[in-house]
Every structure is written in C-alpha cells, then in structure tokens.
Amino acid sequence: MYSKDFLQLISQKPSPNFVISTHKFCDGDGLGAGLALYYALKKRNQTASFYTLEPIHPKYEFLNKDSIIQVFDKEKTKIPKNSVFIFIDVNDTRLMEPLYSYSQQKKEIIYFIDHHPIVQKNSKDHFFIDTTCSSTAELIYSLLKELKIELDEDICKNLFSSIVFDTNRFRDIKNSPRPFSIASELIPKIKDVNLIYENLFKNLTIDKLRFMSQLEKVEYYSNNRIAFLHIKESVFKKYNTDNTQAYDLMELVRDVETIDSTALLIENEEGNFKLSLRSRSKNLLPLAESFDGGGHAHSAGAYIQSKKLKEIKEAVISYLAKY
C-alpha cells in the first residue's frame, strides 16, 4: 500500500524532521496511531515531534506519559525547515488548520494516512487511504511491519488504544478479523490492558451522571430515526463539566435501536454554534458543507455564525428526513 518513495523517506539517514499530527478535536484513534508512529520513529533514532491543534482531553493523558504532545501555535511554534508532515486519521485539510496552511506556506512534504473516504485532495499532497480498515492503527501497524520495526510496549499500547477506541470496543470492525488479529499480537506486550479500558471508557463522574438529565431534552424525528439536541454552554458550567460530555451523551443516544442519525448543536455565550453530525447510513458531508463545515461521510460538523437556531435546526432535520 505504501509507496517505495515514502518507505525510503522514512528510512532515510540522516533523518528528516517528521511532524506528526491529527485532526481537530483529537480522539483516541488519531492520538494512539500517531503516537505509535512517533515511538517507532524514535526507536530508529529519527527526529520526530507530535502536535495537536488544541489541548487533549484529560482522559487521553495516559497516552502522553512522556509529555510528547505539544499544542501548535502558528505565532509561537517553530518547526525546522524541510520537515515531513504526516497527518493521521484525517484527509480533510480544513480539519488540520492552521497547521496545514503553515506546512503549505513552508512548501513542506505532506502525507495523509487515514481510513475514511477522501473528502478533498490537493494534487501536491500524498494520501494513503484504506477504507476497509476500522481504525488508523491498522494502517500504522502495516507501515511498521513493512519497515520491520519491532513493536515494544509504547507502540503496542498506543496501537491497541487506537483500535479499541475507534472500533468502540470491537463493536465496529467492518466485518473484518484484522482488529482481533492485530490485538492478539499487541496484548501480550502490554503490562496492563485494563488500564487502557479504564482511561478511555471508565470516566463517569457524579457530575456527569447528573448531566445525563439532558437526555430529556433530546428531540426525535422521522419515527425516532433522527435525534437532535440543542444545548447551551452555560449548562456545562451548571454541572461542572465540559462539552465532551454532550458528545458522550449523544453516543449513548446512537445506541437506541431505531436511531440512524444524531445532530448535536452546542451554542456558546456569543450565540454562535458548533454542529456535530453522526449517521450510520447517510452522507452527512453535503449538510456540513452547506454550513461551511466538513468532515467524513458519516461523521461531520461545522462552526456556525450569524444564523438563528430555528434556521439551523430546520435545515438539519429537513436534510436528514429526506432519506
């Protein structure tokens, strides 16, 4: 799958500086797969750094035990010239801003490694996409095998975290045995696999349980096929929590047997909105793009300004109900 040029570039000595990153609102898949690649490069005494576009959520801090992750700041961050940028678990350049524009301005080499269908493609960039994979860890695992890199505990822990997160504990495996096959190789090299599950999934708090009362505000449409929730940021302060809990709540709603699509609309104090869309079957990208957003076919979103709640809600429900 990987080109000879790419494999030679990674193996090149002296090593170029590799800059690894993942999409906005980074999650366990992008972080785990990206850090696995970071540790693999360092194992070969190559130069690498890992940047995110915002601070990571506390539940992922166990992956950052060596304080590797840095937050990119276009004004302050200094990246060496002639660096190679590798963007993990993403292929939409809009989800990599402002780091993507920075790398373009510097005329650096850019690679995307992802398991989602390509949204937009710059002819100068390089893409390694395999939509049959259920997580980006599968692609990184195959890359490390091609490079004949021995998998140590740091690499295995991050690869396993990526797989278990993006498959939702092996529930969404795209009807493939590969996640289990890879996991069977990784687990014996991890001291305590249970700690990964505890950090990723066992993070309920009393405040979060109280926040679950917001389930009463979820609205259902099209014979309970569509779920919609509008929530103001002030609610998070009331329950001493943050907006990530709203996403967890909507993930719970997605498990309802009739639900196909969910829409979460978070309104900030300035009256602007963040729209997050998920669907099992619908192509959500055109809807997100109608609000100048982006994402993937079944997972997309947008930041929305200068529009009223009623207008946004009607557009979302109308689009989803067409199907």
Side-chain angles (χ1 to χ4, degrees):
M1 171 192 170
Y2 295 98
S3 67
K4 288 184 179 179
D5 289 345
F6 181 60
L7 295 175
Q8 288 172 357
L9 181 63
I10 287 191
S11 302
Q12 178 179 307
K13 292 189 178 179
S15 168
N17 178 60
F18 291 98
V19 177
I20 303 168
S21 188
T22 185
H23 54 80
K24 289 179 178 177
F25 313 111
C26 48
D27 57 26
D29 185 24
L31 289 171
L35 286 169
L37 177 58
Y38 171 90
Y39 279 113
L41 293 173
K42 298 300 283 187
K43 192 178 181 74
R44 295 161 61 98
N45 296 315
Q46 293 180 280
T47 307
S49 54
F50 192 109
Y51 289 95
T52 56
L53 300 168
E54 68 280 304
I56 65 173
H57 189 275
K59 71 179 179 182
Y60 300 125
E61 279 294 345
F62 78 104
L63 297 175
N64 192 33
K65 66 180 183 66
D66 297 319
S67 301
I68 291 162
I69 298 172
Q70 306 172 66
V71 178
F72 176 75
D73 185 321
K74 63 180 179 181
E75 304 298 334
K76 299 179 181 178
T77 302
K78 303 298 181 185
I79 296 176
K81 291 182 179 179
N82 303 317
S83 291
V84 176
F85 286 73
I86 303 178
F87 297 142
I88 305 288
D89 191 38
V90 62
N91 62 64
D92 186 339
T93 59
R94 292 168 294 187
L95 296 177
M96 289 308 307
E97 292 298 353
L99 185 54
Y100 179 76
S101 293
Y102 175 93
S103 60
Q104 271 206 318
Q105 290 166 5
K106 301 289 183 180
K107 298 182 179 179
E108 307 290 17
I109 300 172
I110 301 170
Y111 290 91
F112 289 87
I113 300 177
D114 195 15
H115 65 117
H116 301 100
I118 290 181
V119 174
Q120 53 177 215
K121 192 171 183 178
N122 186 323
S123 60
K124 293 182 180 180
D125 299 334
H126 307 273
F127 292 81
F128 298 117
I129 310 292
D130 187 347
T131 57
T132 68
C133 293
S134 55
S135 69
T136 317
E138 291 183 39
L139 287 94
I140 298 300
Y141 172 86
S142 65
L143 173 60
L144 303 191
K145 286 295 183 180
E146 288 194 56
L147 292 170
K148 295 182 172 56
I149 297 175
E150 182 182 353
L151 306 184
D152 59 22
E153 185 181 13
D154 284 325
I155 295 172
C156 290
K157 183 180 78 171
N158 281 285
L159 286 177
F160 185 78
S161 297
S162 172
I163 291 172
V164 76
F165 176 87
D166 229 34
T167 62
N168 194 10
R169 288 171 271 194
F170 297 97
R171 293 169 60 188
D172 305 322
I173 59 172
K174 295 192 175 180
N175 204 35
S176 168
R178 276 181 302 185
F180 294 105
S181 176
I182 296 171
S184 69
E185 180 181 347
L186 303 177
I187 290 173
K189 299 180 181 180
I190 302 171
K191 289 180 182 177
D192 192 345
V193 173
N194 288 331
L195 285 177
I196 294 175
Y197 282 95
E198 288 182 10
N199 279 282
L200 289 178
F201 305 112
K202 193 177 179 181
N203 47 39
L204 267 178
T205 63
I206 298 299
D207 285 328
K208 184 172 180 178
L209 283 174
R210 289 173 177 149
F211 174 78
M212 289 295 179
S213 64
Q214 300 304 302
L215 279 169
E216 294 182 358
K217 297 183 179 180
V218 178
E219 300 175 44
Y220 301 94
Y221 299 89
S222 297
N223 294 319
N224 297 328
R225 299 283 291 169
I226 300 167
F228 180 92
L229 174 62
H230 163 244
I231 191 166
K232 293 187 176 182
E233 279 192 341
S234 56
V235 173
F236 303 126
K237 294 179 181 178
K238 176 182 177 181
Y239 291 98
N240 191 32
T241 184
D242 57 43
N243 61 13
T244 60
Q245 310 307 332
Y247 300 112
D248 289 349
L249 187 150
M250 292 306 279
E251 283 298 312
L252 181 63
V253 171
R254 288 183 71 198
D255 284 340
V256 174
E257 59 182 355
T258 60
I259 296 296
D260 178 84
S261 303
T262 61
L264 171 64
L265 193 64
I266 298 176
E267 182 178 356
N268 66 18
E269 294 176 356
E270 289 75 38
N272 299 319
F273 300 89
K274 181 178 183 296
L275 174 65
S276 298
L277 302 161
R278 301 289 184 273
S279 179
R280 292 192 177 103
S281 65
K282 300 176 180 60
N283 181 5
L284 301 170
L285 193 56
L287 175 58
E289 289 180 333
S290 71
F291 293 110
D292 295 322
H296 307 299
H298 302 302
S299 175
Y303 290 101
I304 306 172
Q305 296 178 315
S306 305
K307 288 187 183 294
K308 296 187 179 297
L309 168 62
K310 183 179 179 182
E311 179 185 358
I312 300 169
K313 181 178 176 180
E314 287 179 351
V316 169
I317 300 303
S318 174
Y319 180 92
L320 297 175
K322 285 180 187 176
Y323 292 84

